[in-house]
Amino acid sequence: MKKTLFVIGTICLCMLSSLIIPHTSFAEKNLEDIQKERKDIKENLSATEKEVTTILTEIKEMNEEIEEYNATLKANKKAIKEVEKEIESVEDEIDALEKKIEERFEILKERAQSYQTNGGDVGYLEVILGAKDFNEFISRLTAITKITDADAELIKEQEKDKEKVEKKLEELEGLKKELKAIEANIVEQKEISLHKKEALGEKQTELKDKVAKLEIKDEELASLEDKILGEMAAPISGGTSFAVQTVDGGGALGWPTQGGYISSHMGERWGKMHKGIDIARTDRSTSPPIFAADDGTVETAGFNNGGYGNMVIINHGNGLKTLYAHMSSINVRSGQTVSRGQQIGVMGETGDSQGIHLHFEVHLNGALQNPVSYLR
């Protein structure tokens, strides 16, 4: 009879083991796979976000470069207009000079006609020797000398004026051509920068889509991880409960930051126990404020060397405490009374942290709680 009872007991024990052990191993295996996949996703997210940051910097540089080209083009167009205006002024000056030259030419013709009238077709010597008396001789000689000297001087001035005008025109046309070449070069460089900016914008859109998909996947895995942790934390018939105590807080605590989402849940992570939840920013360009989850007294406020970085612990009474870690700055001090929703610091990445986020823990009578239960 004893032998029979022993055999029956052994069979029952084996049956019980077959029901319990596979369930635990399956849950742990799934949890390990999920946590590994989430780790890979976070590494991918981190690398992608760094790439987005690099692209944003490059786009900013492209914008600055394009603005410089626009400013240069504006200055260049102004210079071209000034040169064109100066060319118009010189052309007016040319017209005036040509008019003067024409007038001088008319003077030469008049003097030639006057000389022809006074001296006829004969040469200078005959004109001078043909004088009736000495006074007429002197008069004729002086007139001829003045005419020849004046003619020579007018011709020289004509040549100088023409040379001056032609040189000025040549310089201005050359300057205008140079400015036009510069303008064409700037336009070409600007077009290259615009194409680069467009390509960077397309790449940025692709990366943002990638980040969004990774975040959605991470949230899905986080929910699954939380579900498995809940199942693991529940008491198993005939066995003992999971080491981390879970209590339904009934949403007793307020959300401890502005916006954000749970990026990592409580449980086994990277070979060790993750004692709380991580709340990441939704807006990567800001560092959100951290709020007290409920009324209480600040028990600890300062830097923690154990990996938490800037940390605050608030005692809410009745054995309930909340912990806030990795803050960039702390706004409260030990012993200070705080109220629910009061800012106690700013989200950061001090201590052992990969990226800016808030590590949030809940303790009841010294035992770890799942913060999700208190925030629901």
Side-chain angles (χ1 to χ4, degrees), residues 5-18:
L5 290 173
F6 175 76
V7 171
I8 292 171
T10 303
I11 293 170
C12 290
L13 182 61
C14 290
M15 290 177 66
L16 181 63
S17 299
S18 66

Side-chain angles (χ1 to χ4, degrees), residues 4 9 77 89 97 117 145 163 166 179 190 199 228 251 272 320 330 343:
T4 303
K77 287 182 182 296
S89 176
L97 286 170
T117 302
T145 304
E163 187 179 344
E166 288 170 357
L179 289 171
K190 181 183 173 182
I228 293 173
K272 60 181 180 180
L320 185 67
I330 297 174
Q343 183 172 345

Side-chain angles (χ1 to χ4, degrees), residues 218-354:
D218 186 58
E219 287 176 8
E220 290 172 353
L221 290 171
S223 298
L224 186 57
E225 182 182 1
D226 187 43
K227 183 179 178 181
I228 293 173
L229 283 171
E231 291 173 357
M232 291 176 66
I236 299 174
S237 176
T240 57
S241 62
F242 190 67
V244 178
Q245 181 182 352
T246 58
V247 178
D248 184 7
L253 299 177
W255 188 253
T257 185
Q258 190 176 71
Y261 64 94
I262 298 175
S263 59
S264 182
H265 286 250
M266 188 175 88
E268 189 73 18
R269 186 178 75 170
W270 305 330
K272 60 181 180 180
M273 180 64 182
H274 186 227
K275 297 180 180 180
I277 61 172
D278 290 342
I279 301 176
R281 309 171 289 172
T282 49
D283 185 353
R284 304 288 172 179
S285 64
T286 62
S287 294
I290 304 302
F291 307 124
D294 204 358
D295 299 343
T297 303
V298 177
E299 192 172 276
T300 301
F303 190 83
N304 173 273
N305 291 319
Y308 286 105
N310 286 327
M311 178 187 74
V312 170
I313 297 176
I314 300 176
N315 190 334
H316 303 285
N318 297 322
L320 185 67
K321 297 181 182 181
T322 52
L323 180 149
Y324 315 76
H326 305 315
M327 290 188 283
S328 63
S329 60
I330 297 174
N331 294 18
V332 292
R333 64 183 184 282
S334 296
Q336 180 179 339
T337 301
V338 294
S339 56
R340 183 188 182 101
Q342 179 179 336
Q343 183 172 345
I344 60 173
V346 177
M347 190 181 289
E349 54 180 338
T350 56
D352 185 8
S353 169
Q354 294 182 346

Side-chain angles (χ1 to χ4, degrees), residues 59-187:
I59 289 175
K60 182 183 176 183
E61 291 173 354
M62 285 294 102
N63 284 331
E64 290 173 354
E65 201 170 278
I66 290 166
E67 284 302 313
E68 287 177 3
Y69 289 145
N70 286 334
T72 306
L73 277 172
K74 187 177 179 181
N76 185 265
K77 287 182 182 296
K78 184 180 178 182
I80 289 173
K81 284 183 179 180
E82 289 174 355
V83 170
E84 289 174 343
K85 188 176 179 181
E86 193 172 352
I87 286 173
E88 288 177 6
S89 176
V90 170
E91 285 174 346
D92 291 340
E93 186 180 344
I94 290 169
D95 291 340
L97 286 170
E98 287 179 346
K99 189 176 179 181
K100 286 182 179 180
I101 291 169
E102 185 64 30
E103 288 173 353
R104 288 170 184 168
F105 183 66
E106 290 298 327
I107 291 171
L108 283 173
K109 287 197 297 184
E110 288 175 4
R111 288 183 176 177
Q113 289 171 359
S114 175
Y115 173 76
Q116 182 72 21
T117 302
N118 291 329
D121 295 330
V122 297
Y124 288 133
L125 183 59
E126 291 176 340
V127 172
I128 295 168
L129 295 176
K132 296 177 181 179
D133 54 31
F134 182 75
N135 289 331
E136 187 179 350
F137 173 79
I138 294 299
S139 176
R140 287 190 178 195
L141 182 62
T142 303
I144 290 171
T145 304
K146 285 182 179 179
I147 289 170
T148 52
D149 290 344
D151 289 347
E153 188 62 35
L154 283 173
I155 291 169
K156 286 181 182 179
E157 287 181 15
Q158 275 185 321
E159 291 175 349
K160 285 181 181 178
D161 288 341
K162 284 182 180 179
E163 187 179 344
K164 177 182 176 182
V165 171
E166 288 170 357
K167 186 176 180 181
K168 194 165 187 179
L169 265 178
E170 186 180 347
E171 288 175 354
L172 287 172
E173 291 296 342
L175 178 58
K176 183 178 178 180
K177 186 177 180 181
E178 183 181 337
L179 289 171
K180 285 289 185 181
I182 291 171
E183 181 182 30
N185 184 49
I186 295 168
V187 169

